[in-house]
Amino acid sequence: MKLVKIKEDLYLNTDFIEAIEADGENSTLITMVSGEVFSPNIPIKKALDAISGSEEHVIEYKDAESYRQDRKIIKNPY
């Protein structure tokens, strides 16, 4: 599982990204294999940098359990 930070509130698993399209100068459409479409207001270059592995965007987990544990910490920091 490889999660990438697209925006401060949007993380996507790159295994499930089907397509990326520019939707104007500062907007991008990201289509997932499930059919869900995300439209972050960011330039396509920033989205592609995040997805292709620019280090500032990458969060890697060895397994789903590690991801779930981290999510609990993020949601309930205290």
Side-chain angles (χ1 to χ4, degrees), residues 58-69:
V58 175
I59 299 172
E60 289 195 49
Y61 293 98
K62 293 180 182 168
D63 56 37
E65 182 61 29
S66 296
Y67 169 74
R68 285 192 295 275
Q69 290 299 320

Side-chain angles (χ1 to χ4, degrees), residues 23-41:
D23 187 37
E25 252 183 66
N26 290 314
S27 187
T28 303
L29 297 175
I30 302 172
T31 305
M32 308 302 286
V33 294
S34 66
E36 188 170 4
V37 177
F38 295 94
S39 182
N41 291 324

Side-chain angles (χ1 to χ4, degrees), residues 4-18:
V4 292
K5 181 179 180 181
I6 303 296
K7 289 180 61 174
E8 57 279 343
D9 62 347
L10 178 60
Y11 293 80
L12 298 176
N13 183 341
T14 58
D15 295 340
F16 300 115
I17 295 174
E18 185 172 289

